[in-house]
Amino acid sequence: MRSVILSGFIASILAFAPALADISGRPRIIDGDTLEVARQQIRLHGIDAPESEQLCEADNETWICGKLSTLALVRLIGREQISCKKRSKDKYGRIVAVCRIGGPKGKDLNRAMVA
């Protein structure tokens, strides 16, 4: 009986494990809060950046805030590979994750973009 319960428990963990798996690789930056890694679109958890073509206005001035936020993420990552830890999925089916440069203890891209 105990082995049946343990087997069921292990099977449920293994079935759920791929959903929590890290995604890593060299990213393609889409905009300031979205990128693609290993053919999967990833949205950075906890931030909302302007879309890449979005313009912003303040004090009667318009600027290319979308391009600037995209460029900020490009500069943070450079040519580095990143690893992302999945948190959830958004309403568009994108993975929502915390991403880092330099492995699990590396620089938090989400936090750096907010800063």
Side-chain angles (χ1 to χ4, degrees):
M1 178 71 152
R2 195 179 279 169
S3 65
V4 171
I5 293 171
L6 185 57
S7 297
F9 179 70
I10 291 170
S12 65
I13 288 173
L14 292 175
F16 190 63
L20 298 176
D22 286 341
I23 302 162
S24 60
R26 182 156 288 134
R28 180 177 72 84
I29 310 320
I30 296 169
D31 59 30
D33 61 10
T34 310
L35 38 83
E36 185 177 296
V37 178
R39 291 181 274 162
Q40 297 185 65
Q41 259 198 16
I42 299 171
R43 175 87 191 267
L44 297 178
H45 173 74
I47 75 169
D48 188 19
E51 302 302 317
S52 60
E53 298 300 318
Q54 185 174 337
L55 298 176
C56 294
E57 187 177 324
D59 299 325
N60 293 321
E61 284 191 41
T62 302
W63 73 96
I64 53 172
C65 59
K67 289 195 187 307
L68 293 174
S69 69
T70 303
L71 184 57
L73 187 57
V74 167
R75 286 181 176 158
L76 275 171
I77 296 172
R79 296 180 181 265
E80 300 292 324
Q81 291 203 13
I82 65 170
S83 61
C84 300
K85 185 73 161 181
K86 181 179 174 181
R87 301 286 297 270
S88 63
K89 282 202 170 190
D90 69 9
K91 65 183 179 181
Y92 303 108
R94 295 175 296 193
I95 294 167
V96 178
V98 174
C99 298
R100 297 179 178 278
I101 297 172
K105 303 275 185 186
K107 184 176 198 166
D108 182 330
L109 293 173
N110 305 49
R111 188 175 302 265
M113 282 300 290
V114 170

